[in-house]
Amino acid sequence: MNMITAKNSGETPFVEFERVQKSYDGESLVVKDLNLSMPRGEFLTMLGPSGSGKTTCLMMLAGFETATYGDIRLGGQSINNIPPHKRNIGMVFQNYALFPHMTVAENLSFPLELRKIPKSEREEKVRLTLNMVQMDSFGGRRPAQLSGGQQQRIALARALVFEPELVLMDEPLGALDKQLREHMQFEIKSIADSLGITVVYVTHDQTEALTMSDRVAVFNDGHIQQLASPDTLYEEPENSFVAQFIGENNTLEGIVQEIHGDTCLVELDGGELIDAKPVNIKTTGERTRVSIRPERVEYNKERLSNDAHLLQATVMEFIYMGDIFRTRLSVAGNQDFIIKTRNAPDQVRLEPGTEIEIGWLAQDCRALDAPNGTI
């Protein structure tokens, strides 16, 4: 059994899933043999499409769902049979879940009252926590008198006020507009880092995951497809699903002709030959999806490296996006091949129909698996 752990294997696991499975109907598994561990103080995001199993994992950790099989441990202790209110876990939801009949201060005081904290100590903890989320002057208001962003800050404060060992967040920013959501991403990460708390965060938003996390677990079909730091996930995807799900990605289809160590030769379906880094490629003759990030492709000849691999392309669409240009090309049978280039004085603007050469380095091109052996 292989346990997915943090890079520093010397760290003692704080949260552990060991061979965890979950089925709602007794037949199909929503979570399939999950092995995962994380150290204290880590910000881990579970990322994936709807139905991938990420939220079910969070709910099992919180105690709102029970694992069908396997063990979940917190601080080395099995929590499978411990009820949610005794797990010392803070929760933040998308819908805030604030009590409308209570003031902000009363909402924060409630979890402290459940833990029988003395009144004077409760008041001090509420004051300090409201100050931490920059809401110290809002203690007397009710949730209906707050904006969405303010309510989310209070929901976060309520999850932190009793100093939990672990904070779980389920799509907490989903109801906010784009600008406020981006602001809250940095705010939550900053608070988590300053307090040194352990966070498990669930989202389907790739940018959110890459911005906030120490590591990201990419879920699909009940399995973790890859667990790594944000930069590793983006730069070194281990399979086609991760490459397509994380960020924008170009794919070209073909067959592996030769393998030489950390390089393989791929014949594209159009007959072109390119070099790539083999990932999950075992033998020649395999079908493959070749992956290249849009910003790794260049069409300005002055910027092309001498060892760049060149392909012919036809410009289909050129879009000005302010800080970048986004060019859609027809390349080796792919009509939606994208290049992103920064808006610079020497960057050429292309007209649709223009024939150009594009290039990239072999190290930026990854030959990945073809799902089910076909494409």
Side-chain angles (χ1 to χ4, degrees):
M1 177 185 67
N2 295 319
M3 180 73 75
I4 301 174
T5 62
K7 290 181 180 178
N8 184 355
S9 58
E11 293 181 271
T12 302
F14 178 53
V15 176
E16 297 174 273
F17 289 80
E18 184 176 2
R19 301 198 66 184
V20 172
Q21 298 181 359
K22 177 63 179 178
S23 174
Y24 290 104
D25 59 9
E27 296 180 4
S28 58
L29 291 174
V30 179
V31 176
K32 305 172 182 178
D33 204 35
L34 175 68
N35 295 299
L36 166 68
S37 73
M38 57 183 291
R40 191 181 295 271
E42 183 175 52
F43 196 118
L44 175 78
T45 294
M46 295 180 173
L47 173 71
S50 297
S52 60
K54 61 187 188 300
T55 298
T56 299
C57 288
L58 191 81
M59 292 298 105
M60 288 190 290
L61 186 54
F64 300 136
E65 296 288 353
T66 303
T68 306
Y69 179 83
D71 195 23
I72 302 173
R73 295 187 290 272
L74 186 61
Q77 178 187 7
S78 176
I79 57 174
N80 285 24
N81 299 315
I82 297 177
H85 67 279
K86 291 186 177 180
R87 295 190 181 192
N88 197 35
I89 293 176
M91 286 287 299
V92 184
F93 299 96
Q94 179 176 337
N95 65 357
Y96 317 132
L98 299 173
F99 298 116
H101 63 287
M102 292 183 181
T103 65
V104 164
E106 289 168 344
N107 265 279
L108 265 65
S109 184
F110 182 73
L112 299 175
E113 291 177 34
L114 291 178
R115 289 164 176 79
K116 303 189 185 306
I117 304 296
K119 183 178 180 181
S120 60
E121 190 177 343
R122 290 203 306 267
E123 291 174 348
E124 179 64 7
K125 285 182 179 290
V126 169
R127 185 187 67 81
L128 290 173
T129 309
L130 284 176
N131 184 61
M132 180 178 60
V133 296
Q134 302 172 21
M135 294 288 288
D136 44 303
S137 62
F138 291 79
R141 297 194 188 185
R142 297 188 186 278
Q145 296 173 301
L146 305 176
S147 68
Q150 290 169 338
Q151 289 186 57
Q152 191 54 278
R153 279 192 177 89
I154 298 305
L156 175 62
R158 190 179 61 180
L160 297 173
V161 70
F162 59 93
E163 300 175 12
E165 294 185 286
L166 175 67
V167 176
L168 309 181
M169 301 189 185
D170 186 19
E171 303 273 9
L173 307 181
L176 305 180
D177 62 57
K178 182 176 183 295
Q179 187 173 1
L180 182 55
R181 186 167 65 245
E182 291 174 352
H183 175 75
M184 286 298 296
Q185 288 170 13
F186 292 109
E187 195 159 309
I188 289 173
K189 177 61 173 170
S190 177
I191 290 172
D193 287 345
S194 64
L195 295 178
I197 59 176
T198 308
V199 178
V200 178
Y201 192 101
V202 163
T203 184
H204 63 273
D205 187 304
Q206 307 158 26
T207 302
E208 212 165 86
L210 296 177
T211 299
M212 302 175 72
S213 315
D214 296 319
R215 289 189 302 161
V216 180
V218 181
F219 278 75
N220 189 45
D221 192 30
H223 292 287
I224 292 180
Q225 301 292 314
Q226 188 172 352
L227 173 61
S229 63
D231 58 332
T232 299
L233 276 182
Y234 187 84
E235 303 288 351
E236 302 174 26
E238 291 181 351
N239 58 46
S240 293
F241 177 83
V242 175
Q244 290 300 108
F245 194 76
I246 302 292
E248 194 164 16
N249 184 60
N250 291 309
T251 59
L252 297 173
E253 304 171 1
I255 296 175
V256 178
Q257 297 295 327
E258 299 175 11
I259 302 175
H260 303 287
D262 60 356
T263 303
C264 68
L265 181 68
V266 177
E267 181 179 358
L268 301 179
D269 288 349
E272 303 91 341
L273 294 173
I274 63 171
D275 293 319
K277 181 177 180 179
V279 181
N280 290 337
I281 298 296
K282 297 179 178 63
T283 62
T284 58
E286 284 189 56
R287 293 286 294 172
T288 183
R289 270 196 184 121
V290 178
S291 165
I292 315 104
R293 296 293 184 187
E295 67 276 9
R296 300 295 188 187
V297 185
E298 184 58 72
Y299 61 79
N300 190 328
K301 290 188 176 181
E302 287 72 24
R303 294 181 181 178
L304 282 172
S305 169
N306 291 332
D307 56 350
H309 192 87
L310 301 178
L311 281 182
Q312 295 297 314
T314 303
V315 178
M316 307 297 288
E317 189 177 29
F318 183 85
I319 303 173
Y320 173 85
M321 299 183 69
D323 58 336
I324 66 167
F325 299 144
R326 189 175 191 273
T327 308
R328 182 169 65 87
L329 307 170
S330 173
V331 180
N334 183 349
Q335 300 289 315
D336 294 304
F337 193 99
I338 302 298
I339 297 180
K340 291 180 181 176
T341 49
R342 65 186 181 89
N343 186 347
D346 64 336
Q347 191 61 269
V348 179
R349 300 192 182 204
L350 301 170
E351 294 294 328
T354 305
E355 300 288 333
I356 62 171
E357 275 190 327
I358 61 172
W360 60 79
L361 299 178
Q363 66 197 45
D364 294 326
C365 183
R366 297 172 70 82
L368 301 172
D369 58 296
N372 301 320
T374 60
I375 298 178

